[in-house]
Amino acid sequence: MTLHADLYPPQAIDGATLIFNVKGGWTEGPKINGKLLAPAADWLQILPSGVWRLDVRGTMVTDDEHMIFFSYNGIIAHSKESAAKLASGSPITHADAPYFATAPTFRTGAEKYSWLNGLQAVGKMVQLSTDPANSFVRYDIFAVH
């Protein structure tokens, strides 16, 4: 599936901690479609090496009104070029970011989507924008079998 999250500007806690609250968004795929709900956020940590470590939690409601909790960790390793594009607010794509990977898991009580409870997924960023007027991240997420 594809997951698209619209983001508020980050809350800068210190030089190494940013919190990105999610305004809303959507998911779309062959087995699941829905909307992202608040609260949802990324408690991002910037390591001394410059690598960004993701810690994301959120909720989606499917198009047939079932609730699904999701969480994922991940890594972003920027090149100097992608870091400069992000700092300017320009959108970047997976081609610009050398490494931006996630490992989502899901939790739901909905029988129709119970297959998600035992699924490990992996995700790859396909587009990211830090433009304050249009800040978002978009991932393609795949089931690992």
Side-chain angles (χ1 to χ4, degrees):
M1 75 177 164
T2 298
L3 183 147
H4 174 98
D6 295 310
L7 306 171
Y8 288 107
Q11 300 169 5
I13 305 305
D14 56 29
T17 306
L18 300 171
I19 300 171
F20 288 88
N21 283 301
V22 175
K23 290 182 191 179
W26 49 266
T27 61
E28 186 176 282
K31 292 185 176 182
I32 189 165
N33 295 294
K35 295 179 187 176
L36 300 186
L37 302 176
D42 179 2
W43 290 263
L44 186 137
Q45 301 292 311
I46 301 171
L47 304 179
S49 66
V51 169
W52 294 11
R53 191 136 314 148
L54 304 170
D55 177 9
V56 177
R57 283 163 261 159
T59 308
M60 69 177 88
V61 61
T62 62
D63 56 0
D64 54 354
E65 302 296 318
H66 293 287
M67 300 293 288
I68 300 171
F69 171 78
F70 62 90
S71 64
Y72 57 86
N73 295 106
I75 296 290
I76 306 172
H78 293 290
S79 66
K80 289 180 184 177
E81 295 78 18
S82 68
K85 282 183 86 172
L86 272 177
S88 73
S90 298
I92 67 169
T93 66
H94 67 282
D96 300 316
Y99 195 80
F100 192 143
T102 66
T105 57
F106 306 90
R107 185 167 153 187
T108 185
E111 183 63 34
K112 178 178 179 179
Y113 298 102
S114 63
W115 57 272
L116 287 168
N117 292 326
L119 178 74
Q120 178 63 63
V122 294
K124 175 75 174 145
M125 182 274 297
V126 292
Q127 194 171 16
L128 173 68
S129 172
T130 58
D131 176 356
N134 186 30
S135 182
F136 67 88
V137 63
R138 187 173 300 158
Y139 303 97
D140 282 342
I141 298 173
F142 305 90
V144 177
H145 296 284

